[in-house]
Amino acid sequence: MRFLGNIEAKTDVKGRAFLPAIFRKVLQASGEEMLVLRRDVFQQCLVLYPGSVWNARLDALKAKLKLWKPAHQQMLRQYVSEAETLSLDGNGRFLISRRLLKAADIEQDIQFIGMDDTIEIWAPKHLQETLKTEDEFGHDFEEIMEEID
């Protein structure tokens, strides 16, 4: 399952958004029905996880934690409690809670970014702040690829 692309959209007054058709097709082809939405750990955006991806990431996190350590238990609690399950309605819409809209500083305009096995949802102003210039991107890309060889 691979999500690719950068798609501009809007939320309605209730906080609903249409999941872009190209992403819905990927979900349907994979047989995914459950979705999980959570604020990103590092950036001011939301991450939409297909259920199987969420479960795999949660299992990976739990494998690193010692749940009898209070700090580890708190880490799991905070990670899971900030997530929300959702599903698409018959029109391909889903509801973004007010809490998550506020956390990502989303007003009405949004951008969906395909991030391989997840989909990020950004307020356009915050996405632009995080992107590199073409020259910076090319330089950093070259450095990373040289490290791999």
Side-chain angles (χ1 to χ4, degrees):
M1 173 173 14
R2 301 231 188 255
F3 300 103
L4 304 171
N6 178 343
I7 300 161
E8 296 176 359
K10 292 185 181 298
T11 60
D12 67 14
V13 294
K14 294 180 180 179
R16 292 178 300 195
F18 285 98
L19 187 65
I22 192 163
F23 296 154
R24 287 196 312 267
K25 287 177 185 174
V26 172
L27 287 171
Q28 289 169 348
S30 301
E32 295 282 351
E33 292 186 21
M34 184 184 92
L35 300 170
V36 176
L37 186 63
R38 184 187 193 291
R39 185 182 190 277
D40 185 66
V41 174
F42 303 107
Q43 302 288 332
Q44 192 172 8
C45 70
L46 305 177
V47 181
L48 187 60
Y49 299 86
S52 63
V53 174
W54 170 259
N55 290 332
R57 300 256 176 112
L58 189 55
D59 289 344
L61 173 61
K62 287 173 58 179
K64 299 273 186 189
L65 299 176
K66 293 178 175 68
L67 295 181
W68 301 116
K69 291 183 101 174
H72 289 208
Q73 189 180 65
Q74 178 56 34
M75 178 69 60
L76 180 63
R77 179 180 299 117
Q78 187 166 345
Y79 187 74
V80 173
S81 70
E82 293 178 0
E84 299 176 3
T85 59
L86 55 92
S87 58
L88 301 178
D89 69 13
N91 295 317
R93 293 179 304 186
F94 63 98
L95 179 66
I96 304 173
S97 70
R98 298 235 182 267
R99 177 180 67 85
L100 289 177
L101 288 169
K102 184 177 179 183
D105 195 24
I106 292 172
E107 293 169 11
Q108 187 177 21
D109 293 331
I110 56 176
Q111 282 187 258
F112 289 95
I113 304 294
M115 284 290 291
D116 190 33
D117 60 356
T118 62
I119 301 164
E120 292 180 345
I121 304 170
W122 287 85
K125 62 185 173 187
H126 294 301
L127 176 60
Q128 292 308 313
E129 292 168 1
T130 66
L131 297 177
K132 298 174 179 286
T133 66
E134 290 297 319
D135 287 341
E136 291 169 330
F137 178 78
H139 177 265
D140 291 351
F141 193 84
E142 179 182 9
E143 281 188 7
I144 290 169
M145 294 308 289
E146 284 177 354
E147 290 173 10
I148 293 172
D149 290 340

